[in-house]
Amino acid sequence: MLEVRELACQRGDRRLFEAVGFSLDAGGLLRVAGPNGAGKTSLLRLLCGLMTPETGEVLWRGRNIRKQREEYHAELLYLGHANAVKDELTAIENVRVACAVAGVRVHESSALGALEKFGLAWFVDHPAKHLSQGQRRRVALARLLLGRSLPLWILDEPFTALDQGAITDLCSTIESHLDHGGMVVMTTHQEVPVHAANCQVLDLGKAAAC
């Protein structure tokens, strides 16, 4: 369903990687690895259509994503390295606004349940500016529980700033998405116990341009 062909990324005078290719089907997990500066975040942004590749293409259901932007984004959930949590909004307002922007309609009870799942039951009405970095990350991650209908999740360092309990909850959420035929592409600098029947590792350090 997701296919990448001969992808290359150029940032200024430096080519980060080239000739990157892979395919991902329903239930598949791709972990993107590599040293700092290898282009992991850039690759995810290319997969989301937020950047244009130097060469190569990204296909979704057999078509170039640049030719079907609206259709593709309607099936994609992207969680960047930044939490994209607005300080002036409460935790539950942040979740509902983010879902609305992504075209996912959620009831307040569903948003509340997602926040409770990630240990924020006592903070749903707190302005985000009063939350710790770990709590802000959990607010962002609550979107995953509300975006189960979106087949493709692209996650940039989703385990950052999480304690062990939240890591366990996130692993369970990702595994459930895969078990139901979803797909996940993620970067992570740490080994995490996500179990998937179809798991691939793409090491951008080995795809670096000379």
Side-chain angles (χ1 to χ4, degrees):
M1 296 178 69
L2 178 68
E3 183 179 1
V4 168
R5 298 177 179 172
E6 296 294 320
L7 210 62
C9 180
Q10 187 86 16
R11 296 300 298 271
D13 296 330
R14 182 185 173 212
R15 178 161 290 197
L16 298 180
F17 55 79
E18 59 187 3
V20 167
F22 64 85
S23 61
L24 198 64
D25 295 317
L29 169 69
L30 175 70
R31 180 180 172 222
V32 181
N36 291 338
K40 298 187 293 295
T41 293
S42 293
L43 174 61
L44 298 195
R45 290 178 62 81
L46 288 171
L47 297 182
C48 293
L50 300 176
M51 291 172 53
T52 301
E54 184 72 12
T55 61
E57 60 180 347
V58 179
L59 307 177
W60 175 249
R61 301 186 188 277
R63 295 177 58 209
N64 192 302
I65 63 172
R66 295 174 62 81
K67 298 180 180 179
Q68 51 164 335
R69 290 183 182 274
E70 291 187 8
E71 298 96 324
Y72 179 55
H73 288 159
E75 297 190 282
L76 166 70
L77 191 157
Y78 172 55
L79 183 64
H81 191 268
N83 293 319
V85 172
K86 297 185 181 299
D87 286 344
E88 66 275 12
L89 299 181
T90 65
I92 196 166
E93 288 171 343
N94 265 290
V95 169
R96 298 193 71 186
V97 167
C99 288
V101 170
V104 178
R105 298 179 62 183
V106 298
H107 295 291
E108 184 174 352
S109 59
S110 298
L112 178 60
L115 290 168
E116 290 177 343
K117 171 68 175 177
F118 278 100
L120 293 171
W122 300 103
F123 301 94
V124 293
D125 293 321
H126 283 54
K129 63 184 177 182
H130 296 316
L131 301 179
S132 69
Q133 285 302 311
Q135 290 168 335
R136 291 166 67 90
R137 192 59 172 169
R138 293 186 193 194
V139 171
L141 291 171
R143 293 172 48 202
L144 300 180
L145 293 172
L146 302 168
R148 289 169 170 163
S149 63
L150 305 177
L152 178 59
W153 291 0
I154 297 180
L155 314 176
D156 194 356
E157 297 288 353
F159 297 94
T160 298
L162 297 183
D163 59 24
Q164 188 55 54
I167 288 175
T168 299
D169 289 339
L170 178 54
C171 288
S172 175
T173 300
I174 291 174
E175 289 170 358
S176 176
H177 185 61
L178 297 172
D179 289 342
H180 287 84
M183 292 162 285
V184 176
V185 179
M186 69 176 185
T187 64
T188 175
H189 67 277
Q190 62 197 92
E191 292 294 333
V192 290
V194 176
H195 302 290
N198 179 11
C199 181
Q200 305 176 54
V201 176
L202 172 62
D203 188 347
L204 288 184
K206 298 179 180 179
C210 297

